[in-house]
Amino acid sequence: MLVQAPDGTMTASAIIWLDEHNRTTEFGPVGTHHRYRRLGLGRALPLQSMDRARQAGAARMTVTCLPTSPQSS
């Protein structure tokens, strides 16, 4: 899933895998462009993704949280 600003800039993204056989969805990395942080996109994107996964038949969802590494300068 992708979120774009009106000018076409990709502001946030998430990778979602649906296992139709097990009716399970797994969320991969969810990220937000640094200029668009603190606007609620990091919360809205997974919520919208979960809604779509439910519509596609998912009964369970897994989100894995891993620490991020500091950005290098």
Side-chain angles (χ1 to χ4, degrees):
M1 301 240 347
L2 298 172
V3 177
Q4 285 186 316
D7 68 0
T9 302
M10 185 184 76
T11 61
S13 64
I15 298 173
I16 302 120
W17 293 274
L18 173 62
D19 180 339
E20 293 178 16
H21 178 73
N22 292 317
R23 297 180 58 209
T24 301
T25 299
E26 181 176 339
F27 290 84
V30 176
T32 304
H33 188 282
H34 67 91
R35 287 189 218 144
Y36 294 91
R37 291 188 179 150
R38 310 294 301 166
L39 298 175
L41 297 174
R43 176 181 164 89
L45 185 60
L47 291 175
Q48 176 67 27
S49 300
M50 285 188 264
D51 193 43
R52 288 192 180 189
R54 268 189 233 98
Q55 292 174 14
R60 288 176 291 298
M61 298 175 202
T62 303
V63 178
T64 303
C65 299
L66 300 172
T68 59
S69 57
Q71 292 185 4
S72 57
S73 36

